[in-house]
Amino acid sequence: MADAATAAMAAVSLSDDLEPATSRTSIRSILANGAARAGERVVVGGWVKTGREQGKGSFAFLELNDGSCVANLQVLVDAAVHPLARLTATGTSVLVEGELKKPPEGTKQRVELRVDRVLEVGEVDPAAYPLPKTKLTLENLRDVVHLRSRTNTIGAVARIRHQLACATHRFFDENGFLYVHTPIITTSDCEGAGEMFQVTTLFSHAEKVEKELKENPAPSESDIEAARIVVKEKGDVVAQLKAAKASKHEITAAVAELTKAKENVSKLDERSKLKSGIPHRDDGTVAYENDFFKRQAFLTVSGQLQVETYACALSSVYTFGPTFRAENSHTSRHLAEFWMVEPEIAFANLQDDMNCAERYVQYLCKWLLEHCREDMEFMAKNYDKTAIDRLTLVSSTPFERISYSKAVELLKNVTGKKFENKVEWGIDLASEHERYLTEVIFKKPVIVYNYPKEIKAFYMRLNDDQMTVAAMDVLVPKVGELVGGSQREERLDVLKARILDAGLPLEPYEWYLDLRRFGTVKHSGFGLGFERMILFATGLENIRDVIPFPRYPGRADL
């Protein structure tokens, strides 16, 4: 009872030391109800978009945004409440309390906040603030990536991205999938492209050794020999004491001295092996056995191979996380770090895979139309007037399905357009080909399947014609390929041959082959590039503008 009383008193004392919790109302909830909330007292926090003094400096109007929606709340502050010059600069943060009022007739606002208390202010120096009232280009905003989320566009993209992530988890949960966290560090190359970021501690270790050797040079052979002589001498002393039947105390002390001398030799031996630089084997290759993981390791290009292990036990699974590609590309469609949604389904063939991909993409489109309408209208007004129509089309139209061979035939027969990339059987369809199929020929989403084996990954199931694999790509207007997937190769002998044909060693994939050795099962899956989905939805042109912190050659800010 005493302990409980003491704990209760401590809790009361702690709570007395803390500020009261802030009961803040979001601007979105205020604007959603408009004039119906007039008369309510609320606390609102946000950043000033624009501020202007009126009535010869007797009051100021602030356009306040807290990120909960694209629209601003008009806030009126009297000079008697707070010095107006400290509130009106763009970028200033404020936490204010007041009463919601219905504005005068003829104004566009349905509700405004009359402030009677300014609780907190985060001031801004207008001369130094990098986000002026005037509109900056998206390219310029990439130079202030730590502040660009305060702009209307990046704020809208953030909310759209959030809703697409919510919809992804909701879709797979509703369809009985389990979410699996696959590793970011891997020892396998899923794509077989070799464009991977390496994870290693060899460089930092080499720098550490070099610094250590500079401060404390490695022992010479004579140093080590001298230390060994000391060990011999100490050993002789112990032997003599034992022969003379000396006291236990004397012998113990001598043994301790001998042990210390041996440890010194061991340390000297170890230090003598220290060499500056990256360790190499006799054949000149890097000695990765000295690395952190005792072998080469990389940042993953895909969680697919790993998530297959769970599909081959739990049936329907998916992973959703960051992936990495060390591709020195500066195009508007490539990032070094990007997010992938990768479901994997056991007992599923290519048809099942296409069905799942179609349902998922349509679900995402419907979700945005229902949960992100205001932000989508902003994107349509400012960037792509067809954005909402495109979402409506994809969400409600069955996808066309054609073979790769049929797609090539259709493209070769095109006479009204000259493609930059020549169309012939065996090529990897370029974005211009994909977009022509979906935007011009079919005017709706298209799934192309059964691609030539030479242009697809080793894990895709070889078809009976021995020329194609059971692969499929979902093509949509605006971006072309949105989803890539396949039925996986479940036959052990065929998979082994495909790995070797790709020029890859078998050893790193032995665990993957085990899935075929022990209870192999027909299974399929696909990957959706999350940023590509956002490009498709918003109509923005550059993938660097739809991820919070873009990484690409030469840039890894923050």
Side-chain angles (χ1 to χ4, degrees):
M1 290 293 289
D3 289 344
T6 302
M9 288 174 63
V12 170
S13 173
L14 180 62
S15 117
D16 289 343
D17 293 338
L18 297 174
E19 288 184 14
T22 304
S23 181
R24 185 174 64 87
T25 303
S26 76
I27 289 175
R28 179 180 182 175
S29 66
I30 292 172
L31 297 179
N33 294 287
R37 298 194 67 162
E40 286 187 34
R41 286 193 62 78
V42 295
V43 173
V44 171
W47 289 264
V48 176
K49 289 287 187 177
T50 60
R52 63 189 190 280
E53 293 187 26
Q54 298 279 301
K56 297 182 180 180
S58 61
F59 66 94
F61 283 116
L62 310 178
E63 289 290 320
L64 208 61
N65 190 280
D66 64 358
S68 61
C69 61
V70 73
N72 304 323
L73 174 66
Q74 182 167 281
V75 174
L76 190 152
V77 187
D78 286 328
V81 174
H82 200 85
L84 301 182
R86 296 183 178 180
L87 303 176
T88 53
T90 297
T92 301
S93 74
V94 297
L95 184 69
V96 294
E97 184 177 357
E99 186 177 341
L100 293 172
K101 298 278 190 179
K102 188 175 180 180
E105 292 292 332
T107 58
K108 64 178 182 178
Q109 292 84 11
R110 292 187 301 151
V111 67
E112 67 181 16
L113 178 65
R114 306 280 179 90
V115 173
D116 51 45
R117 290 181 67 207
V118 175
L119 305 175
E120 294 177 17
V121 177
E123 294 186 34
V124 161
D125 176 1
Y129 190 54
L131 299 180
K133 293 180 186 178
T134 53
K135 188 175 180 181
L136 286 175
T137 66
L138 293 174
E139 185 176 4
N140 287 336
L141 285 176
R142 291 176 215 139
D143 292 328
V144 284
V145 71
H146 58 297
L147 292 173
R148 69 175 184 167
S149 53
R150 295 188 184 186
T151 64
N152 290 337
T153 298
I154 302 302
V157 169
R159 288 185 292 272
I160 289 168
R161 186 181 179 101
H162 165 75
Q163 288 296 339
L164 285 171
C166 289
T168 291
H169 291 301
R170 181 70 67 89
F171 172 82
F172 288 114
D173 185 59
E174 288 176 0
N175 286 278
F177 284 71
L178 295 179
Y179 180 29
V180 177
H181 297 149
T182 50
I184 289 175
I185 298 174
T186 180
T187 54
S188 354
D189 182 357
C190 176
E191 299 298 327
E195 296 167 337
M196 304 177 76
F197 287 104
Q198 192 164 338
V199 177
T200 179
T201 58
L202 289 178
F203 290 96
S204 58
H205 182 69
E207 288 173 0
K208 181 181 176 184
V209 168
E210 189 172 342
K211 182 181 178 183
E212 193 175 323
L213 289 175
K214 195 176 289 185
E215 295 173 354
N216 185 12
S220 63
E221 279 297 325
S222 58
D223 293 332
I224 298 171
E225 187 55 38
R228 286 178 180 146
I229 290 171
V230 172
V231 169
K232 185 177 184 308
E233 290 172 351
K234 299 293 184 184
D236 290 344
V237 170
V238 171
Q240 289 167 9
L241 288 172
K242 286 182 177 179
K245 295 185 179 178
S247 69
K248 184 178 179 181
H249 175 74
E250 288 178 302
I251 293 173
T252 301
V255 168
E257 289 289 325
L258 174 61
T259 302
K260 188 176 179 182
K262 287 180 176 179
E263 288 174 351
N264 184 46
V265 169
S266 179
K267 287 178 183 176
L268 290 174
D269 270 334
E270 196 64 33
R271 281 190 54 76
S272 71
K273 295 172 185 173
L274 289 178
K275 289 182 175 56
S276 60
I278 305 297
H280 286 78
R281 304 186 188 99
D282 292 339
D283 62 1
T285 58
V286 176
Y288 286 108
E289 57 270 21
N290 295 311
D291 208 347
F292 187 89
F293 295 107
K294 308 302 181 188
R295 62 192 300 181
Q296 270 188 293
F298 308 92
L299 294 180
T300 184
V301 297
S302 168
Q304 178 215 309
L305 299 188
Q306 288 84 0
V307 85
E308 278 188 55
T309 67
Y310 271 65
C312 293
L314 304 175
S315 297
S316 297
V317 297
Y318 73 105
T319 185
F320 179 16
T323 55
F324 308 84
R325 189 70 62 84
E327 188 176 353
N328 191 23
S329 174
H330 294 266
T331 76
S332 61
R333 291 290 184 268
H334 288 89
L335 288 168
E337 178 183 322
F338 50 98
W339 285 63
M340 291 291 293
V341 180
E342 298 175 289
E344 204 69 30
I345 320 162
F347 308 101
N349 58 28
L350 187 62
Q351 192 82 259
D352 300 312
D353 202 33
M354 292 190 285
N355 291 343
C356 182
E358 180 172 339
R359 290 199 310 272
Y360 171 49
V361 171
Q362 289 185 324
Y363 189 96
L364 294 181
C365 295
K366 288 176 186 173
W367 185 275
L368 284 184
L369 291 170
E370 293 172 5
H371 295 85
C372 234
R373 192 80 189 195
E374 185 184 19
D375 288 311
M376 285 307 308
E377 287 172 353
F378 171 84
M379 300 309 297
K381 178 182 177 182
N382 292 279
Y383 293 98
D384 184 355
K385 63 183 180 182
T386 65
I388 292 176
D389 292 339
R390 190 166 56 248
L391 288 179
T392 303
L393 170 73
V394 174
S395 68
S396 59
T397 307
F399 294 7
E400 187 72 31
R401 300 186 185 190
I402 59 171
S403 70
Y404 169 89
S405 297
K406 180 65 176 176
V408 169
E409 180 188 333
L410 290 171
L411 291 168
K412 288 177 78 171
N413 290 335
V414 170
T415 56
K417 176 179 174 60
K418 183 173 176 60
F419 296 113
E420 291 182 16
N421 301 278
K422 186 180 177 183
V423 179
E424 57 186 1
W425 200 96
I427 67 160
D428 196 0
L429 296 179
S431 179
E432 61 173 337
H433 304 139
E434 295 167 343
R435 291 187 61 176
Y436 196 87
L437 285 168
T438 182
E439 294 173 8
V440 180
I441 295 179
F442 292 104
K443 295 182 173 59
K444 62 178 179 177
V446 179
I447 302 180
V448 179
Y449 59 89
N450 287 350
Y451 280 79
K453 66 179 181 181
E454 286 79 14
I455 61 172
K456 290 296 181 180
F458 67 87
Y459 52 76
M460 299 185 177
R461 195 181 199 278
L462 188 64
N463 287 327
D464 293 340
D465 61 13
Q466 302 296 304
M467 296 173 60
T468 61
V469 289
M472 65 90 181
D473 287 345
V474 177
L475 315 179
V476 294
K478 187 71 180 177
V479 299
E481 181 193 340
L482 179 64
V483 171
S486 73
Q487 183 175 334
R488 314 312 189 189
E489 183 56 75
E490 85 281 6
R491 297 164 295 185
L492 178 61
D493 55 339
V494 179
L495 182 57
K496 274 186 177 180
R498 293 276 289 147
I499 292 173
L500 294 172
D501 288 345
L504 298 170
L506 288 176
E507 190 273 329
Y509 300 97
E510 283 298 332
W511 64 270
Y512 190 62
L513 294 169
D514 275 350
L515 301 178
R516 280 72 179 171
R517 290 188 182 102
F518 311 121
T520 189
V521 62
K522 184 187 296 180
H523 60 289
S524 299
F526 62 83
L528 174 138
F530 198 58
E531 284 73 31
R532 285 201 172 193
M533 180 64 207
I534 303 170
L535 283 178
F536 162 74
T538 61
L540 292 178
E541 296 294 336
N542 199 308
I543 199 166
R544 298 169 185 176
D545 301 322
V546 298
I547 190 169
F549 306 102
R551 271 83 175 97
Y552 48 96
R555 296 297 290 267
D557 299 347
L558 278 63

